[in-house]
Amino acid sequence: MVGNGSHIEYQGTCQAVPITLQQARFNLPFYLFPIEGADVVLGMAWLRTLGPLQADFSIPSITFQHNNEYITLRGDPNPHPTQSTFHQICHLIDTDSIASFHLLSFEPINNLPTPKDSSQNHTPTTTQFQPPHSLPLSRPHDHRIPLLPNRPPVNVKPYRYPHSQNDTMTTLIHEMLRDGTIIPSTSPFTSPVLLVRKKDGSWQFCVDYRALNAVTVKYRFPIPTIDELLDELGNATIFSKIDLRSGYHQIRVALEDTYKTIFRTFDGHYEFLVMPFGLSNAPYTFQSVRNDLLRPYLRRFMLVFFDDILIYSANRSDHILHLRLILDLLAANHFVAKLSKCVFVVDTVDYLGHVISAHGVAPDPNKIKTIMEWPRPRSLTGLRGFLRLTGVLSVAMPC
């Protein structure tokens, strides 16, 4: 069926017809139709042969891998017709089905910029690192809070906290109201609030959702193990790490469930419109969002563990392209990274408690410092205590 609703039958096929689009060569099967206006139409049948691709129709452009090389096709932004485009327009002038014409050309990978000095960290300059001041987009993976049947609303009285924290609490609430992450609420649910000191000395606003979690139906989404992820690195030599800014707050709570997130302070009652910390199913929602977004590149040149994204490549030129693909994908989906926690184009990186380099994976010295400095056990009781410290189950031994 064609654009006007009528049906036409193909008059034959041609197998493995060679077509060269600048430097890229394709061997495609062609179906012959009695139509005018275009010599060749590359549609869904051709796109399916490209595998995973990234498309940005605002440019327009598509990026895909062909013969182990990444190719980008872009629309020609030049509005002035050349001799070639004028010939095409004349060829299509008698058709009514063409609304606009775009000339696509290949951008070779060697035209991409490369870092000048391998010893320096190279940070992309992009607005996607700016702190957001509005609600994130609503997505298919908005967080939901399914409750066990026939359970009354969770209502836990607020905690007492020092008077010195009142101003800090008020400031944090005003910031969340300004950014639209919370709104006043009259829900019968309520959970207590407390402030937790961060490593940098600032305060983390936390809600104790233990009572709500006790009546929540638990998800069973598989979380990858760190060892399985690190086994995918292979012969990688160049790395970048992207850390999302308040990653949970970049995911919405489903509108029908926001009333369950209510918390109470001396300033009033509020409910979250974004996914707060402390909900039992929040890690599974967060991981599923990242997996679905980054699935075309997972374990090909990137790993994702909650809000930590690791990009790895065998050489620098490939890594620049991989990094650009991921940053563009995050920006297109309105995910914001925290620049101070990101590392770009380095040969050694800290990731999930390990130090990763071209020489392999080693434990982070800061994580095992206590174990390395532990005095040597001199009794069975001391040995068992040391094994508990290191996470190894001790076995009953004869005295």
Side-chain angles (χ1 to χ4, degrees):
M1 186 174 67
V2 293
N4 61 3
S6 61
H7 292 77
I8 57 176
E9 296 182 357
Y10 71 94
Q11 299 177 343
T13 60
C14 297
Q15 297 295 330
V17 177
I19 289 186
T20 300
L21 301 177
Q22 294 192 6
Q23 291 89 356
R25 181 182 179 89
F26 301 89
N27 294 313
L28 306 176
F30 276 12
Y31 298 88
L32 305 180
F33 288 93
I35 60 175
E36 298 180 356
D39 296 325
V40 175
V41 176
L42 298 178
M44 290 301 299
W46 174 65
L47 292 174
R48 291 191 188 100
T49 65
L50 303 180
L53 57 84
Q54 180 184 0
D56 186 349
F57 294 105
S58 64
I59 298 179
S61 72
I62 59 174
T63 301
F64 55 91
Q65 190 174 21
H66 178 66
N67 291 337
N68 298 322
E69 181 180 2
Y70 282 93
I71 303 294
T72 298
L73 289 93
R74 297 180 182 272
D76 188 357
N78 186 4
H80 304 291
T82 63
Q83 183 177 358
S84 174
T85 57
F86 182 72
H87 169 74
Q88 294 290 339
I89 293 174
C90 292
H91 193 58
L92 302 173
I93 195 170
D94 294 327
T95 65
D96 296 328
S97 59
I98 304 300
S100 63
F101 175 78
H102 300 280
L103 177 64
L104 295 178
S105 59
F106 280 99
E107 179 182 341
I109 191 173
N110 55 15
N111 286 346
L112 295 174
T114 56
K116 297 179 181 179
D117 186 358
S118 60
S119 63
Q120 297 178 353
N121 295 350
H122 297 269
T123 37
T125 56
T126 171
T127 57
Q128 74 180 103
F129 295 103
Q130 300 299 324
H133 295 292
S134 61
L135 279 174
L137 298 178
S138 181
R139 304 181 178 93
H141 285 287
D142 287 351
H143 184 69
R144 288 170 171 78
I145 310 174
L147 300 182
L148 297 172
N150 303 322
R151 297 303 176 100
V154 173
N155 192 326
V156 182
K157 65 179 182 180
Y159 296 147
R160 293 180 60 88
Y161 44 84
H163 179 76
S164 59
Q165 295 181 359
N166 286 353
D167 292 341
T168 302
M169 185 79 71
T170 300
T171 299
L172 293 175
I173 290 175
H174 285 174
E175 290 176 354
M176 291 187 289
L177 286 170
R178 178 199 63 196
D179 297 340
T181 58
I182 63 172
I183 57 173
S185 177
T186 58
S187 166
F189 284 71
T190 182
S191 296
V193 176
L194 64 156
L195 297 180
V196 177
R197 181 77 71 174
K198 294 182 181 180
K199 292 181 180 180
D200 59 3
S202 61
W203 291 100
Q204 173 72 52
F205 185 90
C206 298
V207 182
D208 186 352
Y209 284 120
R210 286 180 294 180
L212 177 62
N213 292 336
V215 296
T216 299
V217 178
K218 304 301 188 293
Y219 293 163
R220 291 297 181 263
F221 186 85
I223 300 298
T225 64
I226 296 176
D227 291 341
E228 290 177 348
L229 293 177
L230 299 180
D231 287 342
E232 302 291 335
L233 295 176
N235 60 346
T237 61
I238 304 296
F239 308 92
S240 291
K241 184 175 68 171
I242 300 175
D243 194 314
L244 297 182
R245 179 187 296 271
S246 300
Y248 278 22
H249 288 183
Q250 298 188 45
I251 298 176
R252 295 280 292 267
V253 175
L255 290 177
E256 63 270 21
D257 287 330
T258 58
Y259 75 95
K260 302 171 186 175
T261 66
I262 190 171
F263 60 90
R264 181 168 60 181
T265 70
F266 66 90
D267 283 327
H269 293 66
Y270 304 93
E271 64 185 50
F272 277 97
L273 300 182
V274 298
M275 188 169 68
F277 296 93
L279 294 177
S280 59
N281 290 330
Y284 305 99
T285 297
F286 193 77
Q287 187 70 25
S288 63
V289 170
R290 296 295 172 268
N291 284 0
D292 285 355
L293 174 66
L294 303 170
R295 193 176 304 280
Y297 312 115
L298 279 177
R299 305 197 178 193
R300 293 176 56 197
F301 57 80
M302 65 159 300
L303 303 175
V304 57
F305 191 82
F306 298 113
D307 58 347
D308 287 326
I309 299 173
L310 179 68
I311 305 169
Y312 57 94
S313 308
N315 56 70
R316 187 170 297 274
S317 59
D318 285 350
H319 190 76
I320 295 297
L321 178 58
H322 296 161
L323 179 60
R324 180 174 297 176
L325 285 173
I326 300 304
L327 288 174
D328 289 346
L329 185 60
L330 292 175
N333 288 272
H334 301 275
F335 285 107
V336 180
K338 190 170 185 178
L339 186 59
S340 62
K341 291 188 176 181
C342 295
V343 179
F344 299 102
V345 194
V346 295
D347 52 15
T348 302
V349 64
D350 297 334
Y351 187 68
L352 303 180
H354 296 76
V355 177
I356 302 173
S357 67
H359 303 292
V361 179
D364 187 341
N366 294 326
K367 304 295 184 182
I368 62 173
K369 181 179 179 181
T370 301
I371 296 176
M372 299 299 294
E373 296 177 352
W374 196 265
R376 177 175 297 187
R378 299 186 180 276
S379 66
L380 181 59
T381 301
L383 176 61
R384 287 173 173 169
F386 177 75
L387 293 177
R388 293 192 196 99
L389 171 71
T390 58
V392 179
L393 294 177
S394 58
V395 180
M397 300 174 61
C399 298

